[in-house]
């Protein structure tokens, strides 16, 4: 059976790295994996997405509307933006974190209020967590993406992989300790 995952967020949140670590682990246990990434003005705070599909045999990484088993939002407005990809009965993981767009920063618009409550109204399986606070507790807010990766691994229930080893293979050695802590904390969410 093929699983479809959509990771969404804003440029600079480490979505691509988290996706590559996940894909690396899935391939180690023999899954056929396809991944695509889209950077929409990522360096200027634009939307970044990765589509990952894995299973015995996968022919395309593309996820059409209402077909994603899991949507993982690194920023809560991005959850709203990509909600149409989630299939009925699918799971939405949301990092309760706000990144302000330019119109919000210059005071022309307000960041929407009640986003999490509205998501919970329309998605039966919606889990919200605060990866920023967990990463801050670990000692580096830049590990927020690895905290989210840990939460995603837990949601997928793929615990037959040595994720610490996979992590070590994908990040520089000087960053191993802090990211291992972040991964383990994320897996507890």
């Amino acid at each position: 059976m093929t699983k479809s995952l959509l990771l969404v967020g804003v440029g600079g949140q480490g979505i691509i790295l988290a996706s590559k670590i996940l894909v690396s682990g899935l391939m180690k246990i023999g899954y056929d994996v396809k991944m695509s990434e889209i950077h929409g003005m990522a360096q200027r705070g634009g939307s970044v997405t990765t589509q990952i599909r894995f299973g015995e045999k996968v022919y395309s990484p593309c996820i059409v509307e209402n077909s994603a088993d899991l949507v993982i939002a690194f920023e809560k407005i991005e959850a709203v933006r990509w909600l149409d990809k989630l299939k009925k009965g699918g799971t939405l993981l949301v990092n309760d974190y706000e990144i302000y767009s330019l119109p919000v920063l210059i005071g022309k618009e307000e960041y929407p209020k009640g986003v999490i409550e509205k998501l919970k109204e329309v998605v039966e399986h919606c889990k919200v967590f605060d990866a920023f606070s967990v990463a801050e507790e670990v000692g580096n807010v830049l590990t927020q993406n690895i905290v989210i990766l840990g939460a995603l691994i837990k949601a997928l229930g793929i615990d037959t992989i040595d994720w610490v080893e996979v992590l070590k293979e994908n990040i520089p050695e000087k960053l191993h300790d802090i990211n291992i802590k972040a991964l383990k904390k994320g897996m507890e969410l």
Side-chain angles (χ1 to χ4, degrees):
M1 184 159 92
T2 301
K3 288 274 188 189
S4 300
L5 316 173
L6 179 66
L7 285 73
V8 300
V10 175
Q13 287 194 283
I15 296 162
I16 305 296
L17 176 62
S19 298
K20 287 182 176 176
I21 294 169
L22 179 65
V23 166
S24 182
L26 292 170
M27 290 174 70
K28 279 185 181 290
I29 56 171
Y31 283 115
D32 185 24
V33 185
K34 301 288 186 285
M35 175 183 149
S36 73
E37 52 194 70
I38 299 172
H39 313 235
M41 298 292 283
Q43 292 180 345
R44 295 186 180 186
S47 184
V48 173
T49 65
T50 59
Q51 299 183 29
I52 300 171
R53 298 186 70 230
F54 68 95
E56 281 188 35
K57 186 66 184 162
V58 178
Y59 297 98
S60 169
C62 297
I63 300 172
V64 297
E65 276 74 26
N66 304 311
S67 69
D69 297 289
L70 269 163
V71 172
I72 304 91
F74 286 52
E75 199 277 337
K76 57 189 180 185
I77 287 297
E78 292 300 314
V80 175
R81 185 188 316 264
W82 295 98
L83 196 56
D84 64 336
K85 295 284 189 178
L86 186 65
K87 74 179 186 184
K88 187 173 182 172
T91 300
L92 176 64
L93 301 179
V94 183
N95 183 20
D96 191 1
Y97 188 67
E98 297 176 358
I99 295 178
Y100 301 131
S101 64
L102 184 59
V104 172
L105 289 171
I106 63 173
K108 292 218 175 219
E109 293 180 12
E110 285 187 28
Y111 192 91
K113 293 180 175 38
V115 172
I116 296 296
E117 293 76 16
K118 289 176 184 165
L119 287 170
K120 286 182 173 178
E121 284 176 18
V122 297
V123 179
E124 182 181 352
H125 305 288
C126 179
K127 180 170 182 173
V128 180
F129 51 85
D130 181 358
F132 181 86
S133 294
V134 174
E136 192 171 45
E137 179 186 312
V138 166
N140 188 335
V141 295
L142 296 178
T143 63
Q144 196 174 171
N145 62 331
I146 303 302
V147 172
I148 295 169
L149 174 64
L152 171 58
I153 290 168
K154 180 181 176 186
L156 289 171
I158 301 174
D159 54 5
T160 57
I161 300 169
D162 185 347
W163 287 104
V164 170
E165 283 307 309
V166 175
L167 186 79
K168 286 180 176 178
E169 292 168 4
N170 286 280
I171 59 174
E173 187 174 346
K174 65 181 181 181
L175 301 173
H176 284 177
D177 290 344
I178 193 85
N179 281 287
I180 290 168
K181 286 180 191 172
L183 181 71
K184 289 181 176 176
K185 283 287 189 181
M187 293 172 88
E188 295 171 4
L189 295 175

